[in-house]
């Protein structure tokens, strides 16, 4: 005997967990008559979990944008997109409200894409707070920067492998961080960092992390001549030397300055980062969210 199948029998489909997505765009323009030298908001767009806040900045003509992922963190399948643009003669800082947390993934990597545009004579400092990678997390991050003329640009990206104060240990991650920086359409800097698999094992290598749980990459690009860039690099080395627990290196060539840092834990890394960033910003303080 064969059992009859009812045409009204419901079809059971696999349930896919809800995923977060968001797009945030902000642009700045020079001040109009009566606000000479002041950077002003030009455009603002927010969609999904991507939010942008513009706190008032005192003692500076620049602007500040605080980027917020209102979903509370990232996991597999999440998609976040940021776009920041600075018009001619403007100055702005883009940062994040807090550390970005990347949780265990069962559905491939989370995706974060950032597009930054800096016009001739403008300056943009990309200063997000640390990204925390939890065990078995997966993240693909892409940073695309387009500079024009004499634009100045500073980028900092830092990663923490878990939270040591909470007793967390990270054994395996899938992390890809891709930077592409162009000036007037010509590729100036390309950098791809990949951590995939047993980070506890290969991270113990002295050429990788020396078993450190936190690391950072910095890049500064400006119109300075070779001598001025070398002076900036010497100051950066002095900042790192004051933090004996950190390992770091500084290179200056082809109009750019690069810094790599690693530290046993995040507090030591931040202690080295703050004076280093202030040095590369000519003494300007960090965004207030970095200290609250």
């Amino acid at each position: 005997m064969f059992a009859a199948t009812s045409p009204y029998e419901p079809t059971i489909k696999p349930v896919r967990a809800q995923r977060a997505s968001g797009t945030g765009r902000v642009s700045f323009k020079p001040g109009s008559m009566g606000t000479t030298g002041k950077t002003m908001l030009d455009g603002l767009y927010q969609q999904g979990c991507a939010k942008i806040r513009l706190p008032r900045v005192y003692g500076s003509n620049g602007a500040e944008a605080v980027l917020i992922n209102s979903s509370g963190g990232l996991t597999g399948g999440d998609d976040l997109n940021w776009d920041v643009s600075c018009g001619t003669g403007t100055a702005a800082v883009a940062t994040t409200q807090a550390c970005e947390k990347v949780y265990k993934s069962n559905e491939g990597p989370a995706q974060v894409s950032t597009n930054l545009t800096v016009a001739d004579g403008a300056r943009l400092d990309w200063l997000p707070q640390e990204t925390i990678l939890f065990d078995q997390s997966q993240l693909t991050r892409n940073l695309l920067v387009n500079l024009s003329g004499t634009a100045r640009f500073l980028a900092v990206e830092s990663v923490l492998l878990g939270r040591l104060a909470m007793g967390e240990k990270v054994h395996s991650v899938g992390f890809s961080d891709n930077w592409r920086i162009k000036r007037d359409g010509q590729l100036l800097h390309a950098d791809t960092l990949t951590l995939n698999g047993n980070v506890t094992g290969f991270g113990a290598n002295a050429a990788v992390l020396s078993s450190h749980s936190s690391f950072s990459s910095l890049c500064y690009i400006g119109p300075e001549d070779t001598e001025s860039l070398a002076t900036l690099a010497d100051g950066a080395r002095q900042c790192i030397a004051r933090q004996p627990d950190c390992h770091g290196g500084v290179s200056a060539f082809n109009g750019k300055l690069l810094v790599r840092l690693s530290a046993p834990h995040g507090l030591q890394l931040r202690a080295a980062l703050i004076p280093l960033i202030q040095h590369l910003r000519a003494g300007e303080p960090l965004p207030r969210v970095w200290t609250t």
Side-chain angles (χ1 to χ4, degrees), residues 86 90-92 118-119 121-125 151-154 220 280-282:
C86 288
T90 61
V118 193
R123 172 161 185 157
L124 175 61
D125 291 348
R152 283 183 167 87
F153 175 68
L154 171 64
Y220 171 76
L280 296 176
R281 300 189 71 216

Side-chain angles (χ1 to χ4, degrees), residues 36-84:
T36 304
K38 184 71 174 177
T39 297
M40 310 289 287
L41 177 66
D42 188 31
L44 177 65
Y45 173 83
Q46 304 171 109
Q47 178 270 326
C49 65
K51 311 298 181 187
I52 300 176
R53 297 295 179 262
L54 304 165
R56 186 171 296 178
V57 178
Y58 298 94
S60 171
N61 286 328
E64 185 176 306
V66 180
L67 313 182
I68 303 169
N69 173 15
S70 62
S71 70
L74 296 168
T75 187
D78 290 349
D79 187 20
L80 198 55
N81 300 275
W82 301 110
D83 191 301
V84 183

Side-chain angles (χ1 to χ4, degrees), residues 117-135:
T117 303
V118 193
D120 184 29
R123 172 161 185 157
L124 175 61
D125 291 348
W126 174 249
L127 305 177
Q129 298 191 66
E130 296 91 340
T131 296
I132 303 175
L133 300 178
F134 292 100
D135 194 35

Side-chain angles (χ1 to χ4, degrees), residues 143-162:
L143 176 67
L144 177 61
V145 185
N146 288 289
L147 310 176
S148 297
T150 60
R152 283 183 167 87
F153 175 68
L154 171 64
V156 177
E157 287 284 9
S158 303
V159 173
L160 309 182
L161 299 174

Side-chain angles (χ1 to χ4, degrees), residues 1 11 15-16 29 31-34 38 100 119 128 177 195-196 198 201 213 226 235 243 261:
M1 297 181 62
T11 301
V15 177
R16 184 181 185 275
K29 64 181 179 180
S32 57
M33 186 177 297
K38 184 71 174 177
E100 185 66 274
D177 195 21
L195 299 177
N196 191 17
N198 180 13
S213 68
T226 302
Q243 303 295 329
L261 284 175

Side-chain angles (χ1 to χ4, degrees), residues 170-174 195-204:
V170 175
H171 302 287
S172 177
V173 297
L195 299 177
N196 191 17
N198 180 13
V199 70
T200 303
F202 63 72

